[in-house]
Amino acid sequence: MNEVRYLYQFCKKKWGVVLSVYLMTFLLYLPKLASFNYSIDTEHLIINPKETLESWIRLGRFGLVALKRLSLYGLDINVFFINAVTYLLLATSGVLLFYLINRVARVPQYIQVAGILVYISSPIHFEQTNFILQSSEVVLAYVLLFLAFIVLGEQGKWQWHKILTSVLLTVISFSIYPSLFIGFLTLTVVLNQLALMGREKKQEFIQYIISFRDTIVVFCSSFFIYQILNRLVLKLYHTQITSYITDASAWKNNDFNIVFKEMKELYNAYYLNNNQPFHFELLTYIGIIAIILVFIRGIFAKNINWFVMLDLIWLYIFSFSLLLLLGNTIGPIRTMTPTVPIVLMIDVMTILSMINVRYLKKMGVVLTSVFILSQLKTTSDMEQTEIVDYQAMANYSNQLIDRINQLGIRDTQKYKLIIVGSKKFESPLKLRGDVVGTTFYDWDESSLLGNNERVQGYLGSQGYQFESINGQDYTDAINRSESMLVFPDKKGIQVVGNKIIVKVNG
């Protein structure tokens, strides 16, 4: 295809920028690449891959299952290999996004590069990729999605073979990670806005609608085909679909006014007030500045581009679409990529494009550089957090296993390990994110069995298998733990029959 050749020529011509994107990604994620650790759910894939893959089928991720079956060749989980592939693909997604922007945008290259650096440096990427178990496949889905837009070509040039290829790539990306529905719509609006920003003539509303024709055809076709394939796969596996996102929606069984009030409070907390480490409030304030500058620029040019402003509003809505869907939570942070990084990218690019005064433009470049550096630092802090947490958790677990061995227990499979309470590994060297900053010892603590399935899963992935526990085991252990001290005190662990009770906090 011509688009593939154009992409190759583009990379040769822009080799300096392309190399810089790969180099920055490598340096940014070097701590992750050089360390051994994994996060929640990965432990379950290690000890029970079949059950994990079946759960993904129920979540509509049959493409992820197909890819994971291929990657289960050899060791089920090879942390170093997965990380290397993941961040190579992340850098590649940045290069493809750069190509898409360059193809439609009439803005200087430094603005395009600034936008790509905003995208690559986003700490939300790390929330997605720290899991290990699906990181490389999910980022591959980003790449396939961006390739779908590249193959489709510029809007208005209707060619069936390009449409069909784009649909195929989009269906595969949806089947790997259904959250990319919003990602597709986000990229559609972003590319449309970039094209509009370069036009001097006024555009009629009907022309604005028609400008989305190709991508809407691809999206609707892809969504329809994905749904059919998903139903076929579910029938093949004799199971039913579940969704941990839509199933958690508060709109289903609660009063509208109550949910709306809670949603408003969350919106104020996350999108209006300062919040760390992701600073979603910047989506609001940078977006407002972008809209104001487009309006002011239009006044001076006597041609207000209302459709660019409309696109910016649509993108802002996409950035908190999970909050609108769920009502009582902003959703798992990891599902916000690539949408939120792309929205921030286009907001920054719009601001830099709208400024004509030289000293203001220089100030904008400086502030953008500070913003990119702050994102780089946050991502690096989160990587350090993960490393510190994993090391502390591994040392604590080794201490626990040593104590169990000292009690004369060698064949752990005959015993039930029951953890009472949750253990947080506090340190001034940590920056708490969403999943980042937690461990197997303090995740799912509110469930019926506390964090026991997580802890047993982690120890099992390290080679220490224990017998599963039930609700009664856990209740009895809680009652008995009232007279116990906190581990690692010797009185923080008791053996009662075939049950090993460990109290990990007061």
Side-chain angles (χ1 to χ4, degrees):
M1 284 188 179
N2 290 335
E3 291 299 332
V4 176
R5 186 173 73 252
Y6 295 154
L7 175 61
Y8 173 73
Q9 293 172 348
F10 173 81
C11 290
K12 285 183 65 178
K13 183 179 179 181
K14 306 289 185 180
W15 66 269
V17 176
V18 172
L19 182 62
S20 298
V21 170
Y22 280 100
L23 181 60
M24 192 190 84
T25 305
F26 171 75
L27 292 176
L28 175 59
Y29 290 103
L30 184 58
K32 179 71 171 176
L33 290 165
S35 62
F36 179 90
N37 54 64
Y38 50 88
S39 189
I40 62 168
D41 293 338
T42 308
E43 83 287 357
H44 196 57
L45 179 64
I46 295 173
I47 62 177
N48 196 343
K50 182 180 179 181
E51 185 176 318
T52 301
L53 296 183
E54 289 178 353
S55 71
W56 285 343
I57 289 293
R58 293 191 293 273
L59 289 170
R61 301 179 184 178
F62 56 88
L64 175 59
V65 171
L67 286 174
K68 185 56 73 175
R69 287 191 185 280
L70 293 175
S71 65
L72 290 180
Y73 170 78
L75 294 175
D76 288 352
I77 293 291
N78 183 325
V79 172
F80 297 105
F81 178 78
I82 291 173
N83 284 336
V85 173
T86 296
Y87 296 115
L88 179 65
L89 289 171
L90 182 60
T92 301
S93 75
V95 172
L96 296 179
L97 192 56
F98 178 42
Y99 174 76
L100 282 168
I101 292 170
N102 186 268
R103 189 172 67 180
V104 299
R106 297 180 183 178
V107 297
Q109 180 171 293
Y110 79 90
I111 295 179
Q112 298 176 35
V113 173
I116 296 305
L117 294 182
V118 168
Y119 165 78
I120 287 289
S121 62
S122 174
I124 301 179
H125 290 311
F126 189 66
E127 273 289 345
Q128 176 61 256
T129 58
N130 85 96
F131 282 82
I132 301 296
L133 84 161
Q134 63 180 22
S135 58
S136 57
E137 291 86 1
V138 170
V139 181
L140 174 61
Y142 302 169
V143 170
L144 294 175
L145 187 67
F146 295 171
L147 282 173
F149 280 86
I150 290 173
V151 169
L152 185 61
E154 296 183 25
Q155 293 281 350
K157 297 182 179 180
W158 189 281
Q159 293 179 293
W160 278 109
H161 68 283
K162 291 186 176 182
I163 295 286
L164 293 175
T165 305
S166 182
V167 167
L168 175 63
L169 292 170
T170 304
V171 169
I172 296 173
S173 68
F174 286 173
S175 71
I176 296 172
Y177 203 56
S179 295
L180 288 177
F181 295 150
I182 299 298
F184 185 100
L185 297 175
T186 299
L187 193 54
T188 295
V189 176
V190 163
L191 295 178
N192 182 73
Q193 181 191 325
L194 287 170
L196 286 174
M197 283 168 57
R199 293 178 184 171
E200 296 180 358
K201 294 182 179 179
K202 288 186 177 181
Q203 189 179 41
E204 299 296 329
F205 180 73
I206 188 64
Q207 293 175 312
Y208 174 75
I209 298 299
I210 291 175
S211 66
F212 291 107
R213 182 194 63 183
D214 294 2
T215 48
I216 292 301
V217 167
V218 170
F219 178 81
C220 292
S221 301
S222 302
F223 184 81
F224 180 69
I225 294 172
Y226 163 76
Q227 293 293 343
I228 292 176
L229 291 175
N230 190 39
R231 290 179 182 274
L232 290 174
V233 171
L234 289 169
K235 284 189 176 182
L236 183 64
Y237 277 80
H238 305 289
T239 187
Q240 294 181 337
I241 192 168
T242 60
S243 174
Y244 67 89
I245 292 182
T246 55
D247 289 350
S249 177
W251 298 107
K252 287 185 176 181
N253 303 310
N254 294 284
D255 181 80
F256 176 85
N257 292 327
I258 294 175
V259 177
F260 184 79
K261 181 181 178 182
E262 187 172 4
M263 184 177 69
K264 181 180 177 182
E265 291 174 353
L266 286 170
Y267 175 80
N268 289 336
Y270 284 94
Y271 292 92
L272 294 181
N273 296 314
N274 177 42
N275 63 90
Q276 293 187 355
F278 303 108
H279 293 291
F280 294 121
E281 76 277 4
L282 293 179
L283 287 162
T284 301
Y285 300 118
I286 294 178
I288 290 174
I289 293 171
I291 291 173
I292 291 174
L293 288 177
V294 170
F295 183 74
I296 293 174
R297 177 79 174 267
I299 290 176
F300 282 103
K302 297 181 180 180
N303 179 21
I304 299 175
N305 202 328
W306 298 104
F307 295 122
V308 169
M309 297 166 66
L310 179 59
D311 282 345
L312 287 169
I313 293 171
W314 276 120
L315 291 170
Y316 180 61
I317 293 172
F318 290 155
S319 71
F320 61 92
S321 55
L322 275 178
L323 176 60
L324 296 175
L325 176 65
L326 300 177
N328 60 348
T329 176
I330 63 170
I333 302 298
R334 59 187 178 275
T335 61
M336 296 183 179
T337 176
T339 297
V340 167
I342 290 177
V343 172
L344 280 172
M345 174 197 78
I346 191 62
D347 285 344
V348 169
M349 290 181 62
T350 302
I351 291 172
L352 293 177
S353 300
M354 292 297 113
I355 299 175
N356 279 334
V357 181
R358 180 174 295 182
Y359 78 91
L360 290 178
K361 188 176 286 289
K362 289 181 178 179
M363 184 181 298
V365 171
V366 171
L367 291 175
T368 300
S369 300
V370 171
F371 176 54
I372 292 170
L373 287 173
S374 70
Q375 288 202 135
L376 290 170
K377 180 60 167 57
T378 299
T379 300
S380 182
D381 287 347
M382 292 173 69
E383 290 179 78
Q384 176 171 294
T385 298
E386 183 185 60
I387 293 170
V388 169
D389 259 339
Y390 191 86
Q391 289 176 344
M393 180 189 66
N395 291 334
Y396 189 80
S397 299
N398 290 337
Q399 196 175 11
L400 175 58
I401 294 298
D402 287 343
R403 186 66 56 82
I404 291 173
N405 290 337
Q406 290 170 13
L407 294 172
I409 298 173
R410 294 291 184 270
D411 188 1
T412 59
Q413 294 185 25
K414 297 179 180 179
Y415 288 82
K416 296 182 177 182
L417 176 65
I418 308 174
I419 304 295
V420 178
S422 64
K423 172 68 176 177
K424 299 182 186 297
F425 301 94
E426 302 295 346
S427 170
L429 299 174
K430 291 172 51 178
L431 175 66
R432 174 70 186 266
D434 185 20
V435 175
V436 175
T438 63
T439 70
F440 298 104
Y441 285 87
D442 67 333
W443 192 262
D444 285 345
E445 58 184 305
S446 61
S447 68
L448 294 176
L449 298 178
N451 53 28
N452 278 278
E453 290 185 336
R454 293 294 182 184
V455 174
Q456 284 199 22
Y458 169 70
L459 294 175
S461 70
Q462 297 292 306
Y464 303 102
Q465 300 288 343
F466 291 89
E467 187 179 335
S468 298
I469 71 170
N470 55 45
Q472 188 60 51
D473 292 329
Y474 186 51
T475 300
D476 293 343
I478 291 175
N479 294 331
R480 183 172 286 273
S481 69
E482 292 180 0
S483 61
M484 296 170 59
L485 298 180
V486 176
F487 184 83
D489 191 281
K490 289 184 178 181
K491 293 183 179 180
I493 181 169
Q494 286 186 11
V495 179
V496 182
N498 73 330
K499 301 175 183 177
I500 306 170
I501 303 172
V502 183
K503 186 176 182 178
V504 298
N505 71 8

